[in-house]
Amino acid sequence: MTGGLVGSVTPLADRFDLALVDLDGVAYRGHEPIDGAAEGLTAARSRGMRLVFVTNNASREPESVAEQLTELGIAAQASEVMTAAQAAAQLLLTRLPRGSKVLVVGGAGLVTAVRSAGFEVVHSADDEPAAVAQGFAPEVGWPQLAEAAYAVGRGAWHVASNLDLSLPTARGFAPGNGSLVGAVRAATGVVPDSAGKPSPTMYDMAVERAGARETLVVGDRLDTDLAGARAGGYVGLHVLTGVSSARDDVLATPGERPHLIGADLRSLLVAHPEPLRGPEGWWTVRDASARVLDGRLELGRTATSSVEDEVDVVRAACAAAWAAVDDGIELDPTSVPELATGLQHD
């Protein structure tokens, strides 16, 4: 697998038999649907693609997530949901015997996962827990963070379900678990271990559970979803409906680059052209083209008439920028414009 964009001559739903689909920013935004999500996933399923929803959100139980998806027109069962809470519980098992005390800071999903793994859930540092498991929940506040800091300061192992600094909601981006974990880290000076993306742990667990011939990872965040795909050796599709933008794609570090780029989940239903290198440094994707000259990105065409036209510009820009950077050329970030602005959500 190369470090650049790849192509697919057949629709992704026909090529991959399993898709590991992120939730917030991909299938929904807060409690609101995302355009094309239900349509794309339903059609992909009808073509034989199996789905497992893999989320860094540890606050909710799989049954609750599956219910929300179903209400939004995306049929789902709890067995098709893999959460960071489950991954955190599995990480705890790598070091602690069942029956150990674990102070849980988070929601019902994390409490259930830790208990199901055989640990005793406690809520005070005075209970002398062997570990602190921390995940996001809207109700987490200073008292819970203080108990976590007390326990970690006394030597408890700090395990975070994920380190996402922000999470998308219907009103915008709000502080994520990584921001709350940062408060405990700042108070204790202890760096936590993380079970969630970009570690590929959840992806590996989901693949093992489902079994697959060829797996596709679908996400909206380069630093978690797509970095996890690269780390685990999976093909990653970045959909432009959440946190990371098309401009972020162009400026992505090698370890966070997507293999494929699509506007939304309907991109599962189409083929993806592979960028081609031409004369004078130009990279082309159908009618779109881009190159890097003297460290600055140049676009051969910016006028677009369709969603795919806009995505092709992004693909060409990524191919040109990544090739230049890999060749040791320093790319001037000020030369990279906002791309695919017609695809950005409100």
Side-chain angles (χ1 to χ4, degrees):
M1 194 180 300
T2 67
L5 289 175
V6 300
S8 180
V9 296
T10 60
L12 301 182
D14 297 336
R15 171 180 168 185
F16 297 92
D17 61 326
L18 176 66
L20 306 181
V21 183
D22 183 52
L23 291 175
D24 287 316
V26 177
Y28 52 65
R29 188 176 302 113
H31 293 284
E32 300 297 321
I34 286 179
D35 287 346
E39 176 187 344
L41 292 176
T42 300
R45 262 207 182 109
S46 71
R47 299 169 85 144
M49 174 178 270
R50 290 172 297 152
L51 308 176
V52 175
F53 299 94
V54 182
T55 175
N56 261 1
N57 190 332
S59 65
R60 299 164 62 196
E61 297 178 278
E63 291 79 5
S64 174
V65 174
E67 181 179 354
Q68 179 182 354
L69 286 167
T70 301
E71 290 174 352
L72 294 175
I74 303 168
Q77 300 178 359
S79 61
E80 296 174 311
V81 178
M82 176 73 68
T83 72
Q86 295 168 305
Q90 291 300 309
L91 180 57
L92 290 169
L93 285 170
T94 65
R95 189 184 301 185
L96 302 179
R98 286 181 169 83
S100 300
K101 294 180 180 179
V102 176
L103 192 158
V104 173
V105 177
L110 187 56
V111 171
T112 297
V114 171
R115 278 189 177 141
S116 297
F119 297 107
E120 179 184 347
V121 173
V122 300
H123 301 285
S124 170
D126 294 336
D127 293 318
E128 299 182 349
V132 172
Q134 183 174 355
F136 175 80
E139 62 269 22
V140 171
W142 186 90
Q144 294 88 357
L145 297 177
E147 290 300 323
Y150 300 147
V152 172
R154 297 171 189 173
W157 179 25
H158 192 189
V159 172
S161 64
N162 69 83
L163 298 176
D164 292 2
L165 294 176
S166 64
L167 70 145
T169 73
R171 297 177 59 193
F173 296 109
N177 192 54
S179 296
L180 302 180
V181 169
V184 177
R185 176 177 176 176
T188 63
V190 176
V191 178
D193 290 318
S194 176
K197 300 173 279 186
S199 166
T201 300
M202 283 197 295
Y203 294 156
D204 295 339
M205 290 170 60
V207 170
E208 182 178 358
R209 174 194 290 183
R213 171 182 49 79
E214 193 167 6
T215 300
L216 176 70
V217 169
V218 187
D220 69 305
R221 297 184 68 121
L222 299 184
D223 60 345
T224 56
D225 305 320
L226 283 308
R230 287 280 179 187
Y234 300 103
V235 175
L237 166 66
H238 179 215
V239 290
L240 300 172
T241 51
V243 173
S244 298
S245 68
R247 184 173 186 273
D248 293 331
D249 280 336
V250 178
L251 297 172
T253 63
E256 297 183 358
R257 293 172 182 171
H259 301 87
L260 300 156
I261 300 171
D264 54 43
L265 285 172
R266 286 171 291 203
S267 60
L268 294 172
L269 310 178
V270 298
H272 287 241
E274 184 174 2
L276 301 176
R277 190 167 200 163
E280 299 182 358
W282 287 101
W283 285 82
T284 61
V285 180
R286 289 184 287 219
D287 293 332
S289 59
R291 69 175 177 179
V292 172
L293 185 64
D294 297 328
R296 296 184 61 81
L297 179 68
E298 295 183 354
L299 299 178
R301 191 198 68 180
T302 55
T304 58
S305 59
S306 70
V307 167
E308 277 301 297
D309 284 345
E310 292 203 53
V311 177
D312 282 348
V313 172
V314 179
R315 292 166 176 149
C318 285
W322 299 352
V325 169
D326 290 349
D327 287 341
I329 298 172
E330 184 175 351
L331 177 66
D332 181 357
T334 66
S335 70
V336 182
E338 294 295 338
L339 298 166
T341 54
L343 308 181
Q344 303 302 310
H345 59 78
D346 295 330

